[in-house]
Amino acid sequence: METNYWKLTNNQLKDCEAIDEAATMLINGEVVAFPTETVYGLGANATDHDAVNKIFQAKGRPQDNPLIAHVSDRVQMEKLVGPWPGYVDNLIEAFTPGPLTFVLPSNGICATNVTAGLSTIGVRIPSHPVAQQLLKACQLPIAAPSANLSGKPSPTTANHVFADLNGRISGIVDGGPTGVGLESTVIDCTQEIPVILRPGGITQEQIEKVTGVVMTDPALANQSDKPKSPGMKYRHYSPEVPLWIIDGSLKRMQQEITGQKETGNRVGLIASNHIVDKLVADEAIALGENLSEIAANLYHALRTFKQSNVDIIICEAFPEKGIGQAVMNRLKKAASNYIYRD
Ligand code: AMP
Ligand code: MG
């Protein structure tokens, strides 16, 4: 299959030919990747079972992992779901459009493979101008998981999408690097108290300020519990080489690096700017000054280290507050939960 590639060169998104062409493809049941403020999404008409099936095929995604339906606004969201608790109004007001996915009772408008047969559906209103324009142009709910091959880190640039999916999908809209860099927060809003199923772009602290109380799925802390969000059971976000998280002093980190080098391994280091300069590894990637920059750059870093350049990645443990919760959730998955502590 030939993959169309549209590079958006300016901010003129109204009457944009590329967006119109991409929207037409989506309306015709084809699969197109596009930028959102979290990561690139792989979109298809959420009401068309065959179109949605193409997403699963292109990604190699397990059929039991439901997709998020993307809509342009609250009115479109209401068309896909049943009644919701009052706090959802406050969350919509505070965080939409934005990186928050609402799990609500499905009213059956979307195809059954979007929800993987569940009675609930995940719905999100993305804020990225390209995503917004595309959703308005096609006037459809668009099912869109991250636009990567299943098992790989999510794509934060169109190049990442191209590397994974060129020849497997109908098009890629290149709108530059995404902002947040990690996926949306998934929040179960089917009960009296909201429950975070996946930490992401909107933090627990931000949600608490709006709802007063919010719970987190116990499976996020305890591996033996079955996660309520089916996707959380998979070890995705994984780089091509093993990754170890070191929660300890600089001395401890250097010891680990040196120990690995002594066994003949080439070591790649991923850490915040101020730590990278103080350690000696074979290759190093500085993620940034603060947790937001670290989140934005993490997936690119995980993709950059390949088997050809390093044998193991050593990564700093970041504070699990704010967006750091999502960063550490993804890192722990990439590390199969191995954290070395002092
Ligand atoms: P992705 O689109 O790759 O970011 O993955 C979407 C995430 O949302 C996965 O972890 C899914 O399991 C989760 N998700 C989507 N719909 C639902 C739902 N109805 N109930 C629980 N989790 C969901
Ligand atoms: Mg994904």
Side-chain angles (χ1 to χ4, degrees), residues 11-340:
N11 295 329
Q12 183 54 44
L13 295 177
K14 285 232 162 71
D15 303 320
C16 170
E17 229 172 80
I19 290 192
D20 288 346
E21 285 175 18
T24 304
M25 282 190 170
L26 288 169
I27 292 165
N28 290 337
E30 294 182 56
V31 167
V32 175
F34 61 94
T36 81
E37 71 277 21
T38 57
V39 299
Y40 272 73
L42 184 59
N45 176 357
T47 64
D48 178 341
H49 193 280
D50 291 344
V52 171
N53 209 23
K54 291 180 189 170
I55 294 179
F56 285 93
Q57 280 169 0
K59 281 180 61 89
R61 183 173 173 109
Q63 295 282 343
D64 68 347
N65 192 2
L67 309 179
I68 295 169
H70 291 66
V71 292
S72 57
D73 56 34
R74 177 189 169 129
V75 176
Q76 303 302 319
M77 179 168 159
E78 283 168 357
K79 290 182 184 165
L80 307 183
V81 300
W84 60 51
Y87 63 79
V88 173
D89 291 314
N90 303 336
L91 289 172
I92 291 175
E93 176 72 24
F95 302 121
T96 69
L100 185 63
T101 294
F102 299 85
V103 171
L104 291 164
S106 168
N107 67 7
I109 295 282
C110 287
T112 50
N113 49 355
V114 173
T115 56
L118 298 174
S119 61
T120 55
I121 184 165
V123 186
R124 181 163 104 77
I125 304 172
S127 65
H128 195 290
V130 173
Q132 272 287 332
Q133 204 62 36
L134 195 55
L135 289 167
K136 284 184 185 133
C138 61
Q139 288 286 311
L140 286 168
I142 297 295
S146 49
N148 52 293
L149 283 175
S150 247
K152 292 263 207 109
S154 296
T156 53
T157 68
N159 272 348
H160 297 160
V161 181
F162 187 85
D164 279 10
L165 298 176
N166 182 38
R168 300 173 71 91
I169 60 176
S170 295
I172 301 172
V173 182
D174 180 352
T178 58
V180 178
L182 296 179
E183 299 83 349
S184 61
T185 302
V186 177
I187 188 162
D188 179 354
C189 298
T190 58
Q191 310 293 325
E192 240 168 78
I193 294 177
V195 186
I196 294 175
L197 306 184
R198 174 177 76 179
I202 301 289
T203 66
Q204 183 175 347
E205 294 89 332
Q206 285 176 292
I207 292 170
E208 257 159 11
K209 276 194 192 141
V210 171
T211 58
V213 54
V214 60
M215 300 199 302
T216 52
D217 185 354
L220 289 175
N222 186 352
Q223 269 189 298
S224 55
D225 289 7
K226 184 168 175 249
K228 291 208 187 71
S229 177
M232 297 302 282
K233 69 174 179 278
Y234 298 105
R235 180 198 172 233
H236 42 337
Y237 321 109
S238 41
E240 284 176 37
V241 283
L243 179 143
W244 289 3
I245 307 169
I246 313 292
D247 187 4
S249 60
L250 275 174
K251 189 170 158 220
R252 176 68 204 276
M253 286 189 81
Q254 188 61 60
Q255 269 172 359
E256 269 328 317
I257 294 170
T258 309
Q260 284 297 319
K261 282 163 75 79
E262 278 167 8
T263 68
N265 279 340
R266 275 182 63 75
V267 183
L269 169 68
I270 293 181
S272 49
N273 293 5
H274 69 287
I275 285 195
V276 158
D277 293 342
K278 297 187 179 112
L279 295 171
V280 184
D282 294 298
E283 310 240 351
I285 299 178
L287 290 179
E289 300 281 350
N290 53 52
L291 286 170
S292 298
E293 289 179 13
I294 287 162
N297 295 321
L298 179 65
Y299 284 148
H300 181 69
L302 292 183
R303 276 177 180 260
T304 302
F305 284 139
K306 301 220 165 59
Q307 236 136 22
S308 55
N309 53 6
V310 297
D311 301 301
I312 185 162
I313 302 170
I314 301 275
C315 181
E316 170 190 0
F318 300 102
E320 295 194 45
K321 56 174 200 275
I323 190 82
Q325 257 187 7
V327 169
M328 285 305 290
N329 170 267
R330 308 306 192 269
L331 272 175
K332 283 181 197 167
K333 279 183 178 289
S336 295
N337 267 307
Y338 275 128
I339 303 197
Y340 294 78

